[in-house]
Amino acid sequence: MRWTCHDRFVQSETVLRLRPPRHRVSRKAIGYWTVRAVPGWLIVTAAQVIWLLNDDGNRAWHVAGFVVTAVLAVAHLVVMPQWRYRVHRWEVAPEAVYTRAGWLHQESRIAPISRIQTVDSERGPLEQIFGLANVTVTTASAAGPLEIHGLDRATAQRLVDELTTAAQATRGDAT
């Protein structure tokens, strides 16, 4: 990605390169992602129980299904949150915001500070229990906003304040 910033009096060129961001999200996000994944496995288990109660066939298939579900659920609930924690990163540099997120499908994004239109913070009920918040940075990009999930509340508030101040201080039309 190449971004050039032109000022009325001084012409300067800054080349922004996609690179791994420096900061990790809160360690509390591991517990949050784990708890958030549990309902999906409970639904699968409930479907298997309904299948068991309504089927007079071979119980061996039911036992095999429960074993497979249990193995997959434990693997998912142990591996996924740790993996996401290692991948999810963010950084605000003087010229841009960098993010990386995902676990199976990973996405890295960069947004020049001059392109920031809005900065929002959001906490759902479960995130409030874990003391977490999300920050959304909206730009003029067709790719959509940059989202940083799993920040502790204080870090999220500082980030919103810092980005708002930086966007207001940076010359540009945010388009």
Side-chain angles (χ1 to χ4, degrees):
M1 170 183 241
R2 187 174 183 90
W3 169 64
T4 306
C5 175
H6 296 281
D7 188 287
R8 193 165 32 162
F9 302 106
V10 179
Q11 182 175 353
S12 64
E13 186 174 289
T14 304
V15 178
L16 300 176
R17 301 199 191 287
L18 200 56
R19 60 177 173 73
R22 293 184 311 152
H23 306 292
R24 289 185 189 245
V25 298
S26 171
R27 285 199 62 80
K28 294 184 278 187
I30 295 170
Y32 167 73
W33 288 322
T34 303
V35 169
R36 208 174 111 196
V38 168
W41 289 109
L42 292 176
I43 291 169
V44 171
T45 303
Q48 288 180 324
V49 168
I50 292 168
W51 177 40
L52 173 65
L53 295 174
N54 292 314
D55 185 18
D56 293 331
N58 189 346
R59 301 258 187 239
W61 286 109
H62 296 292
V63 171
F66 281 124
V67 168
V68 169
T69 298
V71 168
L72 290 175
V74 168
H76 181 248
L77 295 173
V78 169
V79 172
M80 177 273 298
Q82 297 289 335
W83 192 336
R84 284 183 77 172
Y85 177 73
R86 286 181 178 87
V87 170
H88 281 234
R89 293 180 179 266
W90 64 277
E91 180 180 356
V92 175
E95 69 282 349
V97 178
Y98 298 83
T99 63
R100 187 171 66 188
W103 68 289
L104 289 179
H105 178 265
Q106 297 178 12
E107 177 182 59
S108 294
R109 303 271 309 272
I110 182 174
I113 297 290
S114 66
R115 297 293 182 127
I116 293 175
Q117 293 178 331
T118 62
V119 182
D120 302 301
S121 177
E122 180 251 340
R123 297 185 313 254
L126 189 57
E127 289 156 324
Q128 290 180 44
I129 291 169
F130 280 89
L132 298 173
N134 306 311
V135 173
T136 302
V137 179
T138 306
T139 67
S141 170
L146 277 76
E147 296 178 342
I148 306 168
H149 294 274
L151 297 174
D152 67 75
R153 284 185 201 161
T155 301
Q157 188 57 53
R158 280 193 308 272
L159 182 58
V160 167
D161 294 343
E162 180 182 345
L163 286 173
T164 301
T165 301
Q168 290 173 345
T170 303
R171 292 186 62 124
D173 62 1
T175 60

